[in-house]
């Protein structure tokens, strides 16, 4: 019987309410026959006081590999931290990796995978160097675009066995960051473990129900939603908007809103109930001032799975799921009248809502089922490990 490939998955925190898609990813990989071990850099997996073991771990790793300090210094001279968050994230990645290196050598995973291109990928790269185990990492949205990405992203791209991303729109950007080096980029969408049962909605007369599910951060464009709501009120369109999510902009968004409910963070079951409540879903993602942006937010195909017509912007990531007049309406979300007009149109046209919703559901059935989508990532892990085994044999 073949021994399953063992993957050490490196997270910042695990589990996280806003990252249930990663839990689905792990479950699907396990169903595909891989053995997943979770390591988190913060929280119950690694308490802050455990960093004290660095006084033993650092000399041990330098003794094992004296060139480690020299190569780290060369990297620091070649790359500049993009911001304070990048500095502290990298520092903690170094501490965590050195403190956990001995444990990884004992556990002997076949490959180490950082779920994000920031701290987790840095941790995976350092552990790879210390333990002689290949590494890979994910590169998706916030982790590669904000502040032009992590300072060490080019070095990690060149060293990784492969890089996982979800959308075609990221590929050219990652190759550009690699500065001409060959990078094995694996495109693999995430998805739903099972599709929700859709029941015909018998709408009673009343306000049209609009839903947004997103963290309250600049790239989600909530200010454009509130501006469009003001126009809908001026036009006399009865509506109710619920925004599920929390974040630093909550206090700013709370001021002067009517017919809008900020629901805060909600459990997965409560979000499912919100999808069933809604008539329309809108996603108003934009490029924030610091470069942060979305790829294909999982909430968009999740809404489509519930047969909700989607109103979205023209960003390339979300457009891989939402086709104008087919699975949703694509507008300039920064144009208040255009955004409000799309909501008005859907509010007054139930057959259109039904047609877009049903088309969206068909797209999800074809493109967003985890059991189908996980295959390229599972194959990438197996091939990366097989290549490592061949290299060891040849050596």
């Amino acid at each position: 019987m073949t021994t399953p490939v063992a993957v050490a998955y490196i997270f910042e925190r695990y589990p996280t309410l806003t990252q249930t898609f990663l839990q689905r990813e792990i479950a699907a990989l396990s169903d595909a026959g891989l053995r997943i071990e979770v390591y988190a850099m913060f929280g119950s997996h690694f308490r802050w006081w455990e960093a004290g073991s660095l006084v033993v771990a650092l000399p041990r790793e330098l003794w094992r590999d004296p060139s480690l300090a020299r190569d780290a210094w060369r990297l620091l001279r070649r790359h500049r931290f993009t911001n304070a968050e990048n500095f502290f994230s990298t520092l903690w990645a170094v501490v965590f990796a050195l403190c956990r290196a001995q444990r990884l050598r004992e556990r002997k995973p076949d490959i180490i995978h950082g779920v994000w291109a920031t701290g987790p990928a840095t941790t995976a790269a350092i552990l790879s160097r210390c333990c002689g185990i290949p590494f890979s990492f994910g590169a998706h949205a916030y982790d590669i675009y904000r502040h032009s990405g992590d300072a060490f992203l080019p070095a990690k791209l060149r060293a990784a066995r492969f890089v996982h991303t979800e959308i075609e729109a990221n590929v050219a950007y990652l190759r550009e960051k690699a500065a001409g080096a060959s990078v094995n980029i694996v495109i693999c969408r995430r998805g739903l473990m099972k599709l929700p049962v859709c029941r015909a909605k018998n709408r009673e007369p009343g306000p049209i129900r609009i839903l947004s599910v997103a963290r309250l951060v600049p790239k989600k464009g909530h200010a454009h939603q509130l501006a469009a709501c003001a126009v809908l009120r001026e036009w006399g369109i009865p509506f109710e908007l619920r925004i599920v999510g929390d974040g630093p902009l909550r206090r700013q968004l709370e001021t002067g809103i009517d017919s809008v409910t900020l629901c805060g963070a909600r459990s997965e079951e409560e979000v499912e109930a919100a999808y069933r409540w809604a008539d329309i879903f809108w996603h108003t993602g934009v490029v924030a001032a610091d470069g942060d942006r979305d790829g294909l937010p999982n909430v968009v195909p999740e809404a489509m799975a519930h047969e909700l017509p989607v109103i979205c912007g023209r960003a390339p990531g979300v457009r891989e799921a939402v086709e104008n007049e087919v699975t949703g309406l694509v507008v300039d979300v920064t144009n208040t009248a255009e955004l409000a007009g799309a909501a008005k149109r859907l509010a007054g046209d139930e057959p259109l809502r039904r047609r877009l919703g049903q088309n969206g559901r068909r797209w999800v059935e074809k493109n967003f089922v985890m059991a189908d989508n996980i295959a390229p990532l599972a194959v990438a892990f197996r091939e990366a490990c097989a290549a490592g085994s061949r290299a060891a044999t040849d050596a």
Side-chain angles (χ1 to χ4, degrees):
M1 185 174 180
T2 305
T3 303
V5 169
V7 186
Y9 250 67
I10 310 296
F11 290 82
E12 287 183 341
R13 293 174 177 81
Y14 186 86
T16 300
L17 186 61
T18 58
Q19 296 175 6
T20 54
F21 55 89
L22 288 172
Q23 293 170 248
R24 295 198 295 261
E25 179 175 299
I26 286 176
L29 286 170
S30 298
D31 291 343
L34 280 70
R35 181 163 58 87
I36 309 298
E37 299 177 355
V38 172
Y39 296 82
M41 300 164 62
F42 298 94
S44 59
H45 287 255
F46 189 74
R47 301 295 189 185
W48 65 267
W49 47 263
E50 293 185 70
S53 62
L54 188 66
V55 297
V56 174
L58 179 58
R60 180 188 63 220
E61 300 307 319
L62 290 176
W63 179 81
R64 290 178 57 87
D65 183 358
S67 64
L68 195 62
R70 179 202 64 200
D71 293 343
W73 175 245
R74 287 176 176 174
L75 276 173
L76 287 169
R77 292 184 63 185
R78 191 176 303 132
H79 302 282
R80 293 289 181 267
F81 293 107
T82 55
N83 55 74
E85 180 183 346
N86 185 205
F87 171 78
F88 287 109
S89 173
T90 301
L91 179 62
W92 191 253
V94 171
V95 171
F96 177 82
L98 294 176
C99 292
R100 283 289 185 259
Q102 185 61 29
R103 181 177 297 187
L104 267 290
R105 279 191 288 268
E106 293 169 357
R107 299 291 295 176
K108 297 179 180 177
D110 297 297
I111 189 168
I112 304 168
H113 183 75
V115 296
W116 304 119
T118 49
T122 302
T123 295
I126 297 170
L127 285 169
S128 174
R129 170 66 180 267
C130 292
C131 303
I133 299 170
F135 84 99
S136 58
F137 65 92
H140 304 287
Y142 171 96
D143 54 327
I144 60 174
Y145 292 116
R146 186 168 181 259
H147 296 301
S148 299
D150 183 280
F152 302 97
L153 179 58
K156 289 182 282 191
L157 286 168
R158 291 191 293 269
R161 193 60 59 89
F162 71 86
V163 178
H164 167 216
T165 194
E166 291 183 272
I167 59 174
E168 293 280 356
N170 291 338
V171 175
Y173 180 83
L174 291 170
R175 295 202 186 283
E176 179 184 348
K177 282 289 184 179
S182 176
V183 183
N184 180 16
I185 299 177
V186 176
I187 301 175
C188 176
R189 283 197 185 101
R190 296 188 170 100
L192 297 173
M193 297 300 288
K194 61 180 181 179
L195 297 179
V197 176
C198 291
R199 298 178 176 86
K201 290 185 177 180
N202 298 315
R203 264 193 52 78
E204 298 179 358
I208 195 75
R209 294 170 294 194
I210 306 172
L211 177 66
S212 172
V213 180
R215 291 180 297 117
L216 306 185
V217 294
K219 72 174 179 180
K220 300 297 184 179
H222 290 104
H224 301 303
Q225 296 181 15
L226 299 189
C229 287
V231 173
L232 290 174
R233 281 195 294 271
E234 290 176 7
W235 290 345
I237 308 297
F239 73 93
E240 182 180 352
L241 169 63
R242 292 183 183 177
I243 300 175
V244 176
D246 211 343
L249 295 184
R250 183 181 181 92
R251 181 168 295 181
Q252 176 183 330
L253 296 171
E254 281 176 334
T255 59
I257 58 177
D258 186 27
S259 303
V260 178
T261 303
L262 296 181
C263 302
R266 289 291 183 265
S267 67
E268 191 171 4
E269 293 75 17
E270 290 170 318
V271 174
E272 287 289 314
Y275 287 132
R276 293 192 296 271
W277 166 86
D279 302 309
I280 299 170
F281 185 89
W282 64 12
H283 172 72
T284 53
V286 296
V287 178
D290 60 4
D292 193 14
R293 70 199 74 176
D294 280 318
L296 172 58
N298 287 274
V299 295
V300 171
E302 286 172 10
M304 293 164 66
H306 286 82
E307 294 190 357
L308 290 176
V310 175
I311 299 172
C312 75
R314 294 173 180 150
V318 72
R319 291 292 308 280
E320 291 186 17
V322 183
E323 183 179 352
N324 191 39
E325 301 288 346
V326 178
T327 56
L329 299 181
V330 180
V331 300
D332 178 0
V333 297
T334 66
N335 184 322
T336 302
E338 192 174 338
L339 180 58
K344 177 183 178 182
R345 181 184 173 194
L346 287 177
D349 193 339
E350 185 172 349
L352 177 61
R353 295 200 307 271
R354 187 180 303 113
R355 176 173 66 83
L356 297 179
Q358 290 172 349
N359 287 343
R361 170 71 179 215
R362 282 191 283 271
W363 184 92
V364 168
E365 290 171 350
K366 183 179 179 180
N367 299 283
F368 207 70
V369 176
M370 184 62 90
D372 299 330
N373 290 357
I374 203 64
L377 185 57
V379 168
F381 279 127
R382 291 191 175 101
E383 290 182 347
C385 297
S389 297
R390 288 194 297 271
T393 302
D394 294 342

